[in-house]
Amino acid sequence: MTEPTFATLVSRWYEENARDLPWREPGIGAWAILVSEVMLQQTPVVRVLPAWHAWLTRWPDPAALAADTPAEAIRMWGRLGYPRRAVRLRDCAVAIVERHGGEVPDKLDQLLALPGVGTYTARAVAAFAYGQRHPVVDTNVRRVVSRAIVGEPDAGPATRPADLVACEELLPIEPAAAALASAAFMELGAVVCTARSPRCPVCPVEPVCAWRASGQETPAGPTRRPQRYAGTDRQVRGLLLGVLREATGPVPHQRLDQVWADDVQRARALAGLVTDGLVEPVGEAAFRLAGDGPATPIPLP
């Protein structure tokens, strides 16, 4: 009898142990999956869940979001972090309406051409929404492949083209099985083959794991040093956005001056928000969220 493949072992485990997440429900739709993938970037599932539900309740399809303003997308994003994602998601919705009649495209090249959709997100939507065979490679998947296949305890800080090739070689030929395996690899890295405390005794591929066979130890520290937040421009940007999100109109410069005592850092953070398209000046002495006015309807082609 032929031994089960690596993908088969992980997929069987996934079918019995996968977390019950709403964007994994059958028939959930490509838009809901796209929103989840954008929100989950550098953000824990526990924080994404309420934001995802609220977002889809308000904007259940791309046309609904495209018809609203960038400012409302930024407001709705709240404190989820990295708020440029909100603007990109709204730009993406506009492009979907203008180019694809309001339906998330199912072709990889069309997904890659959408604003704010990169290599990972495009492949994730193609695989998880449309059941296609594409390597879906994030940090968790790279760690699983590095350990179980290559025998190295860590995959390094950045995704390389070789990572896509290595992952694709592990996928079953049949598209639906490949899409399942892609989700399974990701889940295994997220909940079992974790960076600092891997749960090797319950791992479905522990008997064939090259890293376990090598006897190497888990790295003592993270590959990437955690980013400091307190006192950084990121913190100041968040405080400024917090004031602007709560406002119902332009906010005078004097009000924003109260957010942070360091004039130079505050000005730099505010200028960065303007450059990133999150905030816009109103006259010479006030600011508001970008596009904080009546939305311009975008007709379906």
Side-chain angles (χ1 to χ4, degrees), residues 39-260:
M39 287 186 169
L40 286 165
Q41 295 167 13
Q42 304 183 66
T43 308
V45 168
V46 67
R47 293 186 60 202
V48 168
L49 281 167
W52 181 85
H53 282 294
W55 190 278
L56 289 174
T57 297
R58 180 165 182 176
W59 299 305
D61 54 44
L65 177 57
D68 217 329
T69 64
E72 287 307 301
I74 297 168
R75 283 196 176 93
M76 199 69 176
W77 199 260
R79 298 186 179 278
L80 200 57
Y82 303 98
R84 276 179 293 182
R85 290 181 292 172
V87 176
R88 289 172 182 162
L89 193 49
R90 196 260 175 183
D91 290 343
C92 183
V94 171
I96 290 171
V97 171
E98 292 178 340
R99 303 175 194 172
H100 305 289
E103 298 294 330
V104 178
D106 61 358
K107 292 181 172 58
L108 183 60
D109 61 341
Q110 293 176 337
L111 287 164
L112 286 166
L114 293 174
V117 174
T119 297
Y120 165 79
T121 303
R123 284 169 168 77
V125 173
F128 304 148
Y130 295 115
Q132 298 176 11
R133 185 183 188 273
H134 296 289
V136 183
V137 181
D138 68 351
T139 300
N140 291 317
V141 173
R142 289 193 303 113
R143 186 187 315 114
V144 167
V145 174
S146 177
R147 287 176 177 173
I149 305 301
V150 182
E152 295 294 332
D154 203 297
T159 300
R160 304 162 299 172
D163 295 320
L164 290 171
V165 174
C167 185
E168 185 169 14
E169 290 176 347
L170 296 172
L171 296 178
I173 297 300
E174 201 276 317
L180 175 64
S182 290
F185 294 165
M186 194 175 303
E187 185 77 346
L188 187 68
V191 302
V192 173
C193 191
T194 56
R196 299 293 154 249
S197 303
R199 300 163 56 217
C200 296
V202 299
C203 179
V205 295
E206 192 270 345
V208 297
C209 178
W211 174 53
R212 287 284 282 175
S214 74
Q216 295 182 67
E217 297 293 329
T218 305
T223 301
R224 261 187 292 193
R225 188 183 301 276
Q227 293 183 347
R228 182 172 60 91
Y229 181 75
T232 64
D233 285 4
R234 278 185 60 213
Q235 182 184 16
V236 183
R237 285 164 59 101
L239 293 171
L240 291 168
L241 273 182
V243 172
L244 292 163
R245 276 198 308 267
E246 297 298 322
T248 56
V251 177
H253 209 305
Q254 296 90 330
R255 170 67 183 89
L256 296 176
D257 289 346
Q258 301 172 24
V259 167
W260 196 257

